[in-house]
Amino acid sequence: MIISKKLKKLEAACIFRNRERNAIIEQVLKEMELGLCGKKSSLKMLPAFVWPPTGDEQGTYLAIDFGGTNLRILSVTLKGKGKIAEPKMCSHVIGQKIISGTKAGLGNFIVDKVLDFMQSQKMDIAMQTEIGFTFSFPIRQESIV
């Protein structure tokens, strides 16, 4: 009974009224705008020079998300006219040995997992495709190599 009361109290504290939710949204948008303008912001923002989609895009695309503990690989086939085939995804834990190892070891790990994914999806590993790559954690790049 005590746990139930505490859970209800916690749940009530997590419910936002529309006014509160809208204030949070406005504040996040303001911080994004400040960051993109190069001003002091609580968010790290980088401008992206990417054109908006039209819906007419076609082809198979790969995305690689390199996180602190996981590597995610996704493939999506765009069919044009706003149609998208069911995306395929896999996730791999990045072991401490890989993270604290050499850049060649990390690179080989990523390439091996991408090739494994492509083979599991019966994708032609010789195909030319666009690949998106993201770090899902902050980094400090100290050199180009």
Side-chain angles (χ1 to χ4, degrees), residues 1 23 33 59 62 89 134 139:
M1 211 42 130
E33 192 172 313
L62 290 174
M89 189 186 99
T134 186
I139 65 162

Side-chain angles (χ1 to χ4, degrees), residues 19-122:
R19 187 179 73 233
E20 295 167 323
R21 187 192 71 222
N22 290 341
I24 292 168
I25 291 169
E26 284 180 37
Q27 188 61 38
V28 169
L29 291 173
K30 179 181 174 186
E31 291 295 313
M32 289 170 67
E33 192 172 313
L34 288 171
L36 288 171
C37 291
K39 297 179 181 172
K40 185 175 170 123
S41 170
S42 63
L43 299 173
K44 302 284 185 198
M45 300 295 295
L46 295 172
F49 302 99
V50 179
W51 59 92
T54 64
D56 294 328
E57 295 79 11
Q58 295 183 23
T60 299
Y61 300 87
L62 290 174
I64 300 170
D65 176 15
F66 181 72
T69 56
N70 292 292
L71 174 74
R72 290 173 203 79
I73 304 162
L74 172 103
S75 101
V76 64
T77 300
L78 304 179
K79 298 180 172 188
K81 298 183 181 176
K83 305 248 187 267
I84 301 172
E86 185 69 29
K88 309 288 190 232
M89 189 186 99
C90 70
S91 181
H92 301 279
V93 173
I94 306 169
Q96 189 59 37
K97 186 175 178 181
I98 298 292
I99 291 293
S100 60
T102 65
K103 60 185 173 185
L106 175 60
N108 288 336
F109 173 80
I110 293 170
V111 168
D112 289 344
K113 297 307 179 191
V114 169
L115 287 173
D116 290 348
F117 174 77
M118 291 178 74
Q119 289 172 340
S120 75
Q121 297 302 316
K122 301 193 181 358

